[in-house]
């Protein structure tokens, strides 16, 4: 990926699938997007992850430590930040005609991509301080 992540994918024609993501040595933001019908369930395995959602023109933050799970909702834009070497799993579930259900959101990108990791860790309130 352009941010240096490694992604291992298993994708079906109906839009469902599985992705294992290994963050780069520097960590970084993914690309903001939403889905009309597909849900994404994120599972943190190693390190931590931050998920920002755009709800009513406001960013809402969710933080996952290893073993934590979060599922997105349809039509809610979201973006993921992974620190260095974090590992997450994403299960995409739901059915979409033609299998394509990914729509970029430049508004949420403008609200998240410049947020540095130190600010994210501050928002976490020390949750992830023991994790690399």
């Amino acid at each position: 990926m352009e941010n240096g992540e490694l992604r291992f994918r298993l994708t079906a024609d109906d839009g469902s699938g599985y992705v294992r993501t290994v963050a780069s040595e520097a960590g970084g933001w993914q690309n903001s997007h939403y889905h009309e019908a597909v849900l994404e369930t994120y599972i943190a395995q190693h390190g931590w992850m931050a998920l920002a959602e755009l709800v009513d023109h406001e960013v809402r933050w969710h933080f996952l430590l290893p073993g934590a799970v979060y599922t997105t909702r349809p039509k809610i834009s979201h973006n993921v930040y992974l620190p260095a070497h974090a590992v997450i799993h994403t299960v995409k579930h739901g059915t979409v005609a033609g299998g394509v259900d990914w729509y970029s959101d430049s508004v949420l990108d403008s609200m998240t991509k410049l947020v540095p990791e130190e600010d994210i860790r501050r928002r976490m309130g020390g949750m992830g301080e023991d994790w690399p």
Side-chain angles (χ1 to χ4, degrees), residues 8-11 16-21 88-92:
F8 306 91
R9 297 178 186 266
L10 176 64
T11 306
S16 65
Y18 163 80
V19 182
R20 175 187 165 100
T21 303
I88 64 169
H89 304 275
T90 308
V91 180
K92 297 174 181 279

Side-chain angles (χ1 to χ4, degrees), residues 41-117:
T41 296
Y42 291 94
I43 306 160
Q45 179 176 323
H46 175 75
W48 54 270
M49 71 171 271
L51 185 135
E53 291 182 312
L54 186 58
V55 180
D56 297 327
H57 310 288
E58 211 174 285
V59 176
R60 294 196 184 157
W61 294 87
H62 305 276
F63 306 106
L64 282 71
L65 297 178
V69 175
Y70 184 81
T71 301
T72 63
R73 295 169 287 157
K75 301 178 184 174
I76 299 292
S77 295
H78 52 280
N79 197 355
V80 169
Y81 181 87
L82 297 177
H85 307 292
V87 178
I88 64 169
H89 304 275
T90 308
V91 180
K92 297 174 181 279
H93 44 104
T95 301
V96 177
V100 177
D101 187 18
W102 192 97
Y103 305 92
S104 65
D105 186 338
S106 60
V107 172
L108 184 56
D109 269 347
S110 71
M111 299 169 83
T112 57
K113 284 205 169 190
L114 296 178
V115 176
E117 185 173 314

Side-chain angles (χ1 to χ4, degrees), residues 48 61 63 65 117-130:
W48 54 270
W61 294 87
F63 306 106
L65 297 178
E117 185 173 314
E118 64 190 35
D119 287 357
I120 297 168
R121 286 180 178 266
R122 234 186 326 273
R123 290 176 188 274
M124 292 174 74
M127 270 179 68
E129 63 190 21
D130 293 336

